[in-house]
Amino acid sequence: MANADTYLEISRLTVAFPKAPVPVLNDVELRIAKGEYVAVIGHSGCGKSTLLNVVAGLLPASMGGVVLDGREVTEPGPDRAVVFQNHSLLPWLTCYENVRLAVDQTLSKTMTRAERHEWTLHNLGLVRMEHAKDMRPAEISGGMKQRIGIARALAMKPKVLLLDEPFGALDALTRAHLQDEVMRIHAALGTTVMMITHDVDEAVLLSDRIVMLTNGPNATIGEILDVNLERPRDRLKLAHDPRFIEARAAVLEFLHARHAQPAL
Amino acid sequence: MNAGTKPLPAIPIVSRPAASFIPEDSRLVKVARIVLPPLVVLIALGLLWEVVMSGPTAALPPPSKVWTDARQLILDPFFDNGGLDKGLFWHLMASLSRVALGFALAAVVGILTGLLIGTSSLAMRGLDPIFQVLRTVPPLAWLPLSLAAFREAQPSAIFVIFITSIWPIIINTAVGVRNVPQDYRNVAAVIRLKGPAYFLRIVLPAAAPFIFTGLRIGVGLSWLAIVAAEMLIGGVGIGFFIWDAWNSSNLSDIIVALAYVGLTGFILDRAVAFIGKLVTRGTAID
Ligand SMILES: Nc1ncnc2c1ncn2[C@@H]1O[C@H](COP(=O)(O)OP(=O)(O)OP(=O)(O)O)[C@@H](O)[C@H]1O
Ligand SMILES: [Mg+2]
């Protein structure tokens, strides 16, 4: 039943880990259009990362599946670039080399050496990190590492960008900076984005739609909220915008009233 | 020369980094901080030793007697009167060259074996239990067997070094390979880094700190083993030198040799650690 502009389709997806009696995710159904920015929100442990990992191809689906641009996802690949929660930069490579490794691996058939060098620098520039290109991950701050992680993902020219709580480990100010940065990049490149988060403000500020997961196990999509705020968005102006406040309230309602976190 | 003879330069009104208010230690102070405490302890221990061992019935020579007895040995490690009558430098070189050979072999074979059992769970299941037993065999217990097999002192000693130092190298390498963090494996999967390229660009660098830990333990064990092995096999070498000195009741020579053995072992350990730091580019702690 895919409608015409479905780009990424998750259909009837059930994921169970071996030995676990109950599946983590049950019957998840989601369609994402090209260029859309979708946030997935839910309580800790409900299966957000699991969902993202299946889309990335890092985890197999037990039932159902994922189709991207007409092709079924069976294994990981650079068309679904992931920015991991904990940056996952290779510590023995410089920032440049981290991005360059991904570029060399994924684009060596279509670009010459010189072009790949330029492309690597271009993507470092996109996240404003050219100045740190010769530093190693241990020598830069958490926010900078996350920027390099985003540059690495973008450099693969992915069809969809998968972000797993990309700013979760950052302080509020750095987080706001990076959110603005991601909005700018999304506007400039029109990348399709699926972002995991547990920050309600972040979800409302960045996304076109917010997918809310119910509590696990057997988690599924409880509700999908459309965020009808025109872009570019400005966090200061939106703070008093009734539509923003309303969307925020709706997500909070879902998370804390109807699907409050079960006692741990 | 005096500040009063010249007008003072205008003080710039920019804020200075706070650091300039904290007096920074000069290089000399820093060096002294590292060198002085052990030096003081050394002198104190030397004095204590001198006092305790100065009586007529003392079993061991005091430092002053070591100095008079073994002055030639201490001051000229390079003399060579032919046969076994050589300076300590030559004995140490003989021991070190055995260690170098045995340890180099152990490093190559150990890293390769470690990579194998780290990657293949079949090899792991087959070899690991055997290694776990063999690695507890004391180095010298291998010596008679290796003398029987090689029928010569030199290769036997090298084999003892090899067999002593190989276990920590194998085991640490295997652990390093098996513990490549899931994060790095995910990254490799997303960019489709597979096969030999995956091995070279992800597994080896991720395991490198572990491998160097193994090498460092291995070189320490080698040095422990060579001194003991040389006592038994004879020939030029610091181990036999000590044994020979004992047979001629030359305790002062033994004490001097022990100091050299300790310092050499220390340098070996630091050298491997240094190379490790260079090769892993300081990511070892990460
Ligand atoms: N490898 C695994 N084997 C078995 N169970 C797992 C495995 N990985 C995750 N789980 C379980 O699946 C559930 C969902 O995990 P997941 O990591 O997707 O949660 P999450 O929503 O991303 O949580 P968080 O917000 O804390 O990151 C958890 O209850 C967890 O215990
Ligand atoms: Mg998660």
Side-chain angles (χ1 to χ4, degrees):
Chain A
M1 262 309 304
N3 60 32
D5 57 347
T6 297
Y7 193 54
L8 175 69
E9 178 174 18
I10 301 170
S11 50
R12 315 228 57 185
L13 179 72
T14 297
V15 185
F17 285 105
K19 288 191 225 147
V22 193
V24 174
L25 291 173
N26 192 11
D27 208 15
V28 174
E29 190 88 31
L30 181 65
R31 293 190 178 83
I32 298 177
K34 193 167 186 173
E36 200 178 5
Y37 198 119
V38 171
V40 177
I41 199 165
H43 286 292
S44 184
C46 73
K48 303 183 295 295
S49 296
T50 307
L51 177 62
L52 188 105
N53 284 339
V54 174
V55 176
L58 293 165
L59 269 181
S62 310
M63 261 190 283
V66 178
V67 175
L68 173 63
D69 198 13
R71 291 181 48 194
E72 181 166 9
V73 168
T74 52
E75 57 167 358
D79 55 338
R80 283 151 287 130
V82 189
V83 176
F84 297 95
Q85 189 161 359
N86 47 358
H87 72 77
S88 297
L89 299 180
L90 304 175
W92 54 87
L93 299 181
T94 62
C95 294
Y96 172 85
E97 288 165 340
N98 265 287
V99 179
R100 181 66 190 267
L101 178 63
V103 171
D104 283 348
Q105 271 305 114
T106 54
L107 301 172
S108 58
K109 290 201 186 82
T110 54
M111 283 183 174
T112 65
R113 250 185 111 74
E115 282 169 341
R116 278 178 276 148
H117 172 71
E118 284 306 316
W119 179 242
T120 303
L121 292 181
H122 171 78
N123 280 280
L124 285 170
L126 216 50
V127 294
R128 305 181 207 268
M129 275 288 112
E130 305 104 315
H131 63 93
K133 70 185 175 65
D134 294 322
M135 296 200 209
R136 289 181 200 289
E139 299 162 350
I140 59 178
S141 71
M144 292 162 86
K145 284 180 202 158
Q146 221 41 279
R147 282 169 189 261
I148 303 294
I150 293 170
R152 176 172 67 183
L154 289 172
M156 300 176 205
K157 298 190 176 169
K159 289 178 176 167
V160 50
L161 188 60
L162 303 173
L163 309 174
D164 189 355
E165 295 191 31
F167 318 125
L170 305 177
D171 64 275
L173 277 176
T174 312
R175 177 191 291 233
H177 270 299
L178 279 182
Q179 287 166 347
D180 291 344
E181 212 76 64
V182 165
M183 278 197 284
R184 186 176 57 77
I185 291 168
H186 176 242
L189 304 181
T191 325
T192 311
V193 184
M194 180 170 158
M195 177 184 74
I196 307 287
T197 182
H198 53 216
D199 179 333
V200 178
D201 285 346
E202 177 173 287
V204 178
L205 179 66
L206 294 183
S207 44
D208 301 314
R209 279 192 296 157
I210 303 175
V211 173
M212 293 171 251
L213 291 183
T214 60
N215 287 325
N218 253 326
T220 190
I221 295 178
E223 200 174 302
I224 298 181
L225 180 78
D226 285 304
V227 184
N228 294 315
L229 295 167
E230 59 285 354
R231 295 175 186 272
R233 296 175 183 170
D234 179 333
R235 66 176 66 245
L236 288 178
K237 288 190 192 126
L238 282 179
H240 305 290
D241 188 314
R243 291 170 300 165
F244 181 88
I245 295 167
E246 196 183 317
R248 203 171 165 275
V251 179
L252 286 171
E253 228 288 296
F254 178 92
L255 289 176
H256 298 293
R258 274 177 290 148
H259 295 273
Q261 179 142 42
L264 288 174
Chain B
M1 202 165 284
N2 208 308
T5 59
K6 254 191 275 178
L8 283 170
I11 298 162
I13 352 176
V14 291
S15 65
R16 286 287 188 87
S20 60
F21 293 104
I22 302 166
E24 209 177 306
D25 291 346
S26 70
R27 258 187 99 76
L28 202 69
V29 174
K30 274 185 196 150
V31 170
R33 248 172 223 247
I34 298 171
V35 173
L36 272 185
L39 208 64
V40 169
V41 172
L42 202 66
I43 292 169
L45 283 178
L47 285 176
L48 184 71
W49 176 11
E50 184 73 41
V51 170
V52 172
M53 291 302 169
S54 285
T57 56
L60 298 175
S64 54
K65 188 163 183 314
V66 171
W67 174 249
T68 44
D69 285 354
R71 188 158 53 184
Q72 194 217 2
L73 203 59
I74 298 168
L75 292 182
D76 183 10
F78 299 109
F79 71 88
D80 186 349
N81 300 335
L84 296 182
D85 189 11
K86 295 176 196 295
L88 279 174
F89 174 79
W90 302 110
H91 288 285
L92 279 171
M93 282 320 277
S95 302
L96 278 173
S97 70
R98 291 189 184 110
V99 165
L101 251 175
F103 179 68
L105 277 174
V108 172
V109 179
I111 291 175
L112 290 179
T113 315
L115 294 178
L116 176 71
I117 67 174
T119 17
S120 149
S121 63
L122 184 68
M124 167 83 183
R125 270 176 283 147
L127 293 172
D128 191 61
I130 299 170
F131 289 169
Q132 294 297 344
V133 173
L134 287 183
R135 79 187 174 93
T136 65
V137 174
L140 281 194
W142 291 101
L143 189 58
L145 208 61
S146 85
L147 277 171
F150 293 107
R151 291 166 200 284
E152 248 182 278
Q154 187 72 358
S156 305
I158 290 168
F159 175 76
V160 169
I161 298 304
F162 170 80
I163 204 77
T164 306
S165 55
I166 196 168
W167 310 118
I169 300 175
I170 293 179
I171 290 167
N172 279 279
T173 304
V175 167
V177 171
R178 304 174 129 255
N179 290 340
V180 173
Q182 186 64 45
D183 294 344
Y184 303 166
R185 283 188 261 165
N186 285 345
V187 170
V190 168
I191 63 175
R192 297 232 169 98
L193 203 55
K194 291 176 186 163
Y198 169 67
F199 198 81
L200 281 177
R201 308 224 49 176
I202 306 286
V203 176
L204 268 188
F210 290 82
I211 295 176
F212 274 96
T213 305
L215 289 175
R216 202 168 159 190
I217 300 172
V219 85
L221 291 179
S222 305
W223 192 239
L224 293 182
I226 190 63
V227 174
E230 283 175 346
M231 287 187 169
L232 298 176
I233 60 169
V236 179
I238 194 73
F240 186 70
F241 176 89
I242 292 172
W243 191 245
D244 195 40
W246 160 246
N247 281 332
S248 43
S249 310
N250 203 340
L251 292 180
S252 297
D253 283 8
I254 297 183
I255 289 165
V256 175
L258 285 190
Y260 271 85
V261 168
L263 287 173
T264 310
F266 176 77
I267 292 169
L268 277 180
D269 181 67
R270 286 308 155 100
V272 175
F274 178 72
I275 295 170
K277 212 169 182 176
L278 280 189
V279 171
T280 60
R281 301 186 221 168
T283 54
I285 338 102
D286 218 78

